[in-house]
Amino acid sequence: MSWANTERVELSYLEDPQSQLAIQDVLQLDPQADFTPLNLDSGYVNLGVSSSSFWLQLQFCTPYQEAQPGYIEFGYSGLSLVEFYNDQGDLLTQTGNSLPLETRPIINRHFSFPIEMQGCSDTYYFRVKSSNVLIFPLYVHTQNESAQQTIQNHLVNFTYYGALLVVTLYFFVFSLILKEKSFFYYSIVAALLLAAHFSGYGFARLLLWPEAIIWDQTAEMVFYCLAGAAAIAFTQEFLQTARRQPYFHRLFNLLLVLFIVLGFAMAVGPQLQWSLAWVVNLMHVTGLAAASGVLVAGWRAYRQGVSSALLFLLAWLCLWGGVAVLILTAADYLPANYATYNAIQLGSSLELLLLSLALGHRLYLQRRDKDKAMHLAAQADKDRREALEQTKEELEEAVAEKTQQLQLSLEKEQELHQQFLRLSGLVSHEFRNPLFIIFGHLELLTNRDKEPSVHLKAIHEAAIRLNELLDQWSLGKKVNTQLLDIQFKPCNLLDFVEEVHQRISDLHPERSIHKEVPNSLPASLSVHADSKLMDLAIFNLLDNACKYSPPDQPLHLGLAFTEQEAEIYVRDFGEGIASEEQERIFSDYYRTQQKDKQTPGLGLGLALVKRIVQAHRGQITVSSQPGEGSCFSIHLPRHSGD
């Protein structure tokens, strides 16, 4: 490729470890004995890795009979010094990347030296030196061939750079959209690799910083250090080492910091006149440790079931494979050619491709797991809705069955209630007729005998007691009937209490019954109530107070209120109720021991009052101390129109 128009090329070299030889010293040496010939079959010069200066002796023959303008081109921008001499020892050109661009005969990223191509050339001498690997293509070609070669190289390189730029922007945008850290770190790795290649291949010096001589000599290594740090961060995020492999996560944190420190040292070292040999050596050790750690962590992740880790491993193997090929080529274990010379570029290209596939595969797995979870959630929701529908149907059937049972029970209860009412009417009628006969004959006997006998008095009292019991029983029957059909209406409590107080006073003129109404009581204080039932309840409480308190003691009928409720209370100063009986007095047919002995009754009055109050969404309470009397209070919710 480099020798298309040359018939014979001979190149040999002499190593000058101390860089002490001058051109006159070299001209006095025996070319056959002191110079070592190089194999140029592939068109690449391989001098390995060395800080020595190398003297190159070049001679070639061309088929041109007439002089043709051409170039000798060293296709490597990393040469720090290149000196070009003729066979007379005259220095024709001195240039290199440690010197300004103006020292180059042709402003190009490579080092090109113009010559005339005609027949067999004179012997040319070059002194080259570099702190990097000395492997590079050597071109001897005409101007047209040089232009075509330059276009071809630019096309290949800028295609590579364009691909890196697209990858960088693509994954950066996706990292913002998906909020995925691994995509962001990957875009940073691609961007830094682009910067490193752009610097290492001489384009940055030519296009971006032509005057930054010192920076250009270390820029490539700085970007490689930062790319190593970004690659470590990407590895941590991709393999989830913080959760899956904490030991490797801590190791990677250390390596990440080391890469950043080394990059900083590379950037500022030349400005501070540091020797960068230790930095380069430490960078090689750090890179080797990082490569080993990444490969082991990737393999462990794959063994743990992270399937995308396989592509991750293959990607890094491609990169480190390219590095290994370059090292083996520099050690002369592999021939220098286009493939081995561009091994790192080819390896990094495959690495980026495989890492892109790994990220895509990881995203696919995440989407698949998400879709699977959504499917399971949808299925669970469907099962739940079906279960709810089934439960609803079962509940509706159960409710319908219970409703039917309740309807039958209600109908049966209503029938029993009607039978009870008929029986009650019959019993009441059958009991009262004999009682009326007894009362009639007792009245006749009493009128005939001015002083009725003790027996007649006993019969009279028994008849009165039996009549009162029948009255209470009839009252209970009446209340139970009315509770089935309550008529709620607004009831003004001030008017209601006034009416009840008047009637009880007329019924018991011998008792002192006081009405207590606070001055702050609103005139419109009212409740929603069935006035007939509430009348029965209050009247029953007042009647009990009359029965169970001494005749000379006053009674109190009063009103009280809060923002939420109204209170009607009846207070007496009778014998009181023991604390252990206060909860039981509202039960059906319960009477205290004192009442059982002194006053007739069935023990239904307070039970009926409680039913009436509860039907009005209220409650009844009692406050009592034996020997000090009792206070019964009815609490009802206030009417919202107050």
Side-chain angles (χ1 to χ4, degrees), residues 454-523:
V454 175
H455 300 292
L456 290 177
K457 289 181 179 180
I459 294 172
H460 187 266
E461 291 177 359
I464 292 175
R465 179 179 176 84
L466 182 58
N467 190 55
E468 289 179 349
L469 292 175
L470 283 173
D471 287 340
Q472 287 191 15
W473 189 60
S474 298
L475 176 62
K477 179 185 69 174
K478 178 180 179 182
V479 169
N480 288 330
T481 302
Q482 290 182 337
L483 284 174
L484 296 175
D485 187 24
I486 299 180
Q487 301 294 325
F488 288 104
K489 294 181 181 179
C491 176
N492 186 284
L493 289 183
L494 195 60
D495 296 340
F496 176 75
V497 168
E498 179 67 32
E499 180 181 347
V500 172
H501 177 263
Q502 184 62 47
R503 285 197 295 108
I504 197 67
S505 298
D506 293 342
L507 187 62
H508 296 280
E510 75 282 359
R511 301 301 299 263
S512 175
I513 304 175
H514 301 290
K515 181 178 68 173
E516 297 179 349
V517 178
N519 294 330
S520 60
L521 185 80

Side-chain angles (χ1 to χ4, degrees), residues 56 72-76 79 82 110-111 113 126 128 136-138:
L56 302 178
I72 298 173
E73 181 178 345
F74 292 82
Y76 179 44
L79 297 174
V82 184
H110 293 158
F111 302 101
F113 305 95
F126 296 88
V128 298
F136 54 88
L138 179 62

Side-chain angles (χ1 to χ4, degrees), residues 236 240-254 293 296-297 300:
Q236 289 177 309
Q240 298 290 303
T241 55
R243 178 171 56 89
R244 295 176 178 271
Q245 303 182 63
Y247 172 79
F248 278 96
H249 188 77
R250 291 191 292 270
L251 174 62
F252 288 151
N253 283 336
L254 176 62
V296 173
R300 284 169 56 88

Side-chain angles (χ1 to χ4, degrees), residues 120-188:
C120 291
S121 70
D122 297 328
T123 300
Y124 296 107
Y125 292 91
F126 296 88
R127 185 160 76 104
V128 298
K129 186 175 183 178
S130 176
S131 58
N132 297 322
V133 178
L134 275 169
I135 302 175
F136 54 88
L138 179 62
Y139 304 100
V140 178
H141 46 200
T142 64
Q143 287 184 349
N144 290 336
E145 291 171 345
S146 176
Q148 293 176 1
Q149 186 68 42
T150 300
I151 293 173
Q152 180 182 352
N153 288 340
H154 285 186
L155 180 62
V156 172
N157 282 290
F158 279 93
T159 300
Y160 174 71
Y161 298 146
L164 278 179
L165 183 60
V166 169
V167 168
T168 299
L169 295 176
Y170 179 83
F171 282 95
F172 178 74
V173 171
F174 263 81
S175 71
L176 298 179
I177 296 174
L178 301 177
K179 301 186 185 304
E180 183 71 33
K181 288 184 179 179
S182 59
F183 281 42
F184 173 75
Y185 292 138
Y186 180 72
S187 68
I188 298 300

